[in-house]
Amino acid sequence: MSPSTSSVASPTAGAAGAFGLGMGAFSKFTTNPKTAKASTSMDYMSAIGAKTPTAEKQLKDVGSKPSKVSLVGPKEPTPPTSHILRHSWALWFRPPISKSNGFVEYEKTLHPIARFDTMEEFFTVYGHLKRPSSLPLVSDYHIFKKGIRPVWEDDENKKGGKWIVRLKKGVADRYWEDLLFALIGDQFAEASEEVCGAVLSVRNGEDILSIWARNDGGRVLKIRETMRRVLGFPPDTKLEWKSHDSSIQQRSAIDDARKEKSQHGTHHTTPARNGSKDVNSSPFSAEKK
């Protein structure tokens, strides 16, 4: 049997034309497709049997008025991304203490000034802090993990010690910044759990940088080597280890001597080191005007 030369009509050809679908949607049903006629609104009306003037007006109104119904709800604003730190940190400041105040317990001279859990919070705080070179003499910055007090007697510190490096004047700003980034950026790797915090001490003739460790032994050598690497110390830089036990014994002797002097009234009023009575010992930068 020879193949038929007549086209096979689509079973829904009428509906295709009426709804403006054209023959393209059903082209597989014919061997001789024709170009579909462009549909109009009247094509749609003829399909639904709406030929009255009222129906025409309703259709025109529907097509000209924007719909007030949204299938998609209002787009929620995307919250800013926060970069959570592995540990939460607290920043402390110890201002110069005048000898005229007599004996004052060390912990009472420490002032917590900020705490941060994310990288964004850290940079907000850091942007308002004075650099070490702008701090008064005999003042200190302390950064410690949340819950650890920056004193030797704290339960997390008392069995450990610290690595100390003495810096010449003029370089503390860079080393302190690099150390902060290394701590909050978790660059101490497997030794990071042994790190409790760090201290920057501004002194006359030198600045002192130290990292406090949880235990005296174990991974303290790893902390020292990481400190050398991330801070880029010259090869001949000397890092000294000092246990907190020895520091406590040394300070106890000094405190006893100070208490004795205070009780006998032998202390004298000491002016500020730079001769000014209104030294700004705040760690925060002045507001720019």
Side-chain angles (χ1 to χ4, degrees):
M1 179 182 295
S2 62
S4 173
T5 58
S6 62
S7 61
V8 179
S10 167
T12 54
F19 285 94
L21 297 177
M23 295 302 296
F26 305 98
S27 58
K28 63 181 179 179
F29 290 102
T30 178
T31 59
N32 186 25
K34 296 182 180 180
T35 303
K37 179 182 177 182
S39 65
T40 64
S41 61
M42 289 305 296
D43 293 329
Y44 181 80
M45 290 173 63
S46 64
I48 61 176
K51 296 183 179 180
T52 63
T54 302
E56 291 182 22
K57 183 177 184 303
Q58 290 175 346
L59 182 63
K60 183 178 180 181
D61 290 342
V62 169
S64 61
K65 293 181 180 179
S67 173
K68 295 183 179 180
V69 179
S70 175
L71 298 179
V72 181
K75 186 177 180 181
E76 295 292 335
T78 303
T81 302
S82 294
H83 298 83
I84 306 297
L85 302 176
R86 179 176 178 181
H87 300 283
S88 296
W89 297 87
L91 189 66
W92 306 65
F93 178 66
R94 182 177 184 267
I97 305 300
S98 173
K99 292 181 179 179
S100 63
N101 294 321
F103 173 77
V104 182
E105 291 184 12
Y106 181 83
E107 190 168 357
K108 292 182 179 180
T109 66
L110 296 169
H111 303 279
I113 57 177
R115 191 184 73 188
F116 43 88
D117 307 302
T118 68
M119 185 69 73
E120 289 75 15
E121 291 172 348
F122 164 75
F123 278 110
T124 298
V125 173
Y126 187 68
H128 289 83
L129 290 178
K130 289 181 178 178
R131 300 299 177 257
S133 58
S134 299
L135 294 178
L137 293 176
V138 198
S139 59
D140 307 271
Y141 273 143
H142 302 72
I143 180 172
F144 277 76
K145 291 175 181 175
K146 180 182 176 182
I148 302 179
R149 296 173 299 142
V151 294
W152 301 319
E153 296 83 0
D154 188 89
D155 288 341
E156 297 295 324
N157 296 325
K158 62 184 180 181
K159 295 181 179 180
K162 58 185 176 181
W163 284 110
I164 303 169
V165 59
R166 300 180 183 277
L167 306 172
K168 64 181 181 180
K169 284 293 186 180
V171 300
D173 289 5
R174 180 177 71 84
Y175 284 125
W176 175 242
E177 181 176 274
D178 288 348
L179 181 56
L180 288 178
F181 291 167
L183 288 173
I184 67 172
D186 202 29
Q187 293 188 37
F188 283 82
E190 65 270 17
S192 64
E193 293 300 326
E194 292 295 315
V195 174
C196 294
V199 181
L200 187 282
S201 301
V202 179
R203 297 295 183 263
N204 187 22
E206 66 178 2
D207 298 318
I208 304 170
L209 195 62
S210 61
I211 291 185
W212 290 29
R214 191 183 307 273
N215 295 297
D216 185 357
R219 294 178 175 172
V220 296
L221 294 180
K222 182 67 174 179
I223 294 174
R224 182 190 65 183
E225 296 311 310
T226 305
M227 190 177 179
R228 285 185 182 276
R229 176 176 55 82
V230 299
L231 299 184
F233 287 144
D236 58 347
T237 302
K238 181 181 179 181
L239 277 76
E240 173 192 355
W241 172 259
K242 189 173 185 179
S243 69
H244 292 327
D245 278 341
S246 61
S247 297
I248 291 173
Q249 294 173 8
Q250 181 180 356
R251 194 177 69 187
S252 294
I254 295 174
D255 287 349
D256 289 343
R258 287 177 177 173
K259 286 180 182 179
E260 185 177 353
K261 285 185 178 181
S262 178
Q263 290 172 356
H264 288 80
T266 57
H267 63 276
H268 302 281
T269 301
T270 303
R273 288 178 179 267
N274 62 357
S276 173
K277 295 182 179 180
D278 58 349
V279 176
N280 180 13
S281 61
S282 169
F284 294 102
S285 301
E287 293 291 336
K288 295 181 180 180
K289 298 182 179 179

